[in-house]
């Protein structure tokens, strides 16, 4: 399996802050990288695919980058509704895998 | 409107069998694979496997291969996740997702989740 490692595992920030979450793959996955947001008690929501392409309807304050083994999810100006847990996922392999998640909390 | 609607919460005993379901609507069911994802209490997402509703071809994560069975009935646009003998460690929320392609694969629509509780 391709292992996905996210950092940090948790993060506290203020509304209006710029935050970046990182995701590292155990081998090169080109840009086969997705990001999801999950709020408590809810199903995941797809945010970004192909490392940097925003899913329709996702606010432009979200952006993704990277290729190979190192990827980032950046939120340019945190809004109250952005406090959630974020997961990366690789789809390079037929067997997909998620990162461990990053819990973004309000400071 | 694309929707995936999952079956309701289940309370089962260890050793019992269980099948949960995920019904797709608002799209051509056979055009998209369906994935299943586990979330144990207070933990992260774990991708379990996927199925092609057209021919029932499956891919399983090694962590779940042999422990669960994924199937579909395309006549009713429904995917299933089956356990023949549940364990307490199967207690989790299980989500189905529509496995889409846009240059890469991803789950673009999700079911609401099914809580499975296994307890004696």
């Amino acid at each position: 399996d391709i292992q996905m490692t996210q950092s940090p595992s948790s993060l506290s920030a203020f509304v209006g802050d710029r935050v970046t979450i990182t995701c590292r793959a155990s081998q090169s996955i080109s840009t086969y990288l997705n990001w999801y947001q999950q709020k408590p008690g809810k199903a995941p929501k797809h945010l970004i695919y192909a490392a940097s392409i925003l899913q329709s309807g996702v606010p432009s304050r979200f952006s993704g980058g990277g290729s190979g083994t190192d990827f980032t999810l950046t939120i340019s100006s945190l809004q109250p509704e952005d406090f959630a847990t974020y997961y990366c996922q690789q789809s390079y392999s037929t067997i997909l895998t998620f990162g461990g998640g990053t819990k973004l909390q309000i400071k | 409107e694309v929707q995936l609607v999952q079956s309701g919460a289940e309370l089962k005993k260890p050793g019992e069998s269980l099948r949960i379901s995920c019904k797709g609507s608002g799209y051509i069911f056979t055009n998209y694979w369906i994935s299943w994802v586990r979330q144990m209490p207070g933990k992260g997402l774990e991708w379990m496997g996927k199925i092609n509703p057209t021919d029932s071809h499956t891919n399983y994560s090694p962590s779940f291969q042999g422990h669960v069975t994924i199937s579909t009935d395309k006549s009713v646009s429904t995917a299933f996740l089956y356990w023949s003998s549940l364990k307490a460690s199967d207690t989790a929320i299980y989500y189905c997702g529509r496995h889409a392609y846009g240059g890469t694969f991803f789950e673009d629509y999700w079911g609401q989740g099914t809580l499975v509780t296994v307890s004696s």
Side-chain angles (χ1 to χ4, degrees):
Chain A
D1 291 6
I2 299 174
Q3 308 302 316
M4 306 300 293
T5 304
Q6 286 183 237
S7 61
S9 57
S10 64
L11 174 61
S12 295
F14 292 102
V15 172
D17 281 354
R18 176 185 179 93
V19 299
T20 297
I21 296 167
T22 65
C23 178
R24 175 165 288 176
S26 60
Q27 68 179 71
S28 177
I29 59 170
S30 183
T31 57
Y32 288 79
L33 193 282
N34 307 310
W35 289 98
Y36 298 85
Q37 176 194 67
Q38 187 182 33
K39 296 182 178 180
K42 299 295 186 182
K45 174 186 175 182
H46 181 234
L47 297 177
I48 289 172
Y49 63 99
S52 62
I53 302 175
L54 262 61
Q55 179 66 282
S56 175
V58 173
S60 59
R61 63 181 180 272
F62 290 90
S63 63
S67 66
T69 61
D70 295 310
F71 301 88
T72 58
L73 172 69
T74 298
I75 309 172
S76 61
S77 178
L78 276 171
Q79 299 302 300
E81 60 268 28
D82 299 336
F83 292 93
T85 301
Y86 293 85
Y87 295 92
C88 62
Q89 178 199 48
Q90 66 79 22
S91 59
Y92 180 84
S93 168
T94 300
I95 305 304
L96 283 68
T97 47
F98 288 98
T102 295
K103 186 173 184 178
L104 180 53
Q105 298 175 290
I106 193 165
K107 188 180 283 186
Chain B
E1 178 194 8
V2 173
Q3 283 192 309
L4 295 174
V5 178
Q6 297 185 230
S7 50
E10 300 276 0
L11 175 59
K12 306 292 279 186
K13 290 181 167 51
E16 292 185 330
S17 63
L18 174 65
R19 189 179 78 167
I20 62 175
S21 66
C22 169
K23 183 175 176 61
S25 63
Y27 71 100
I28 299 172
F29 187 70
T30 50
N31 281 2
Y32 296 84
W33 292 55
I34 293 288
S35 298
W36 286 95
V37 171
R38 182 175 78 175
Q39 188 165 41
M40 299 177 75
K43 302 298 184 182
L45 304 173
E46 299 174 271
W47 193 86
M48 301 174 70
K50 67 182 189 287
I51 187 164
N52 182 345
T54 299
D55 61 7
S56 292
H57 181 73
T58 52
N59 297 119
Y60 290 94
S61 165
S63 299
F64 294 94
Q65 178 89 49
H67 296 288
V68 296
T69 301
I70 298 172
S71 62
T72 62
D73 183 343
K74 61 186 177 183
S75 69
V76 290
S77 301
T78 301
F80 303 97
L81 184 62
Y82 172 76
W83 294 261
S84 60
S85 180
L86 286 160
K87 303 175 184 177
S89 57
D90 292 318
T91 295
I93 297 173
Y94 293 87
Y95 294 100
C96 62
R98 192 179 79 161
H99 191 69
Y101 182 75
T104 67
F105 288 103
F106 50 87
E107 281 80 34
D108 61 348
Y109 287 91
W110 294 76
Q112 80 278 20
T114 296
L115 174 62
V116 174
T117 303
V118 184
S119 175
S120 53

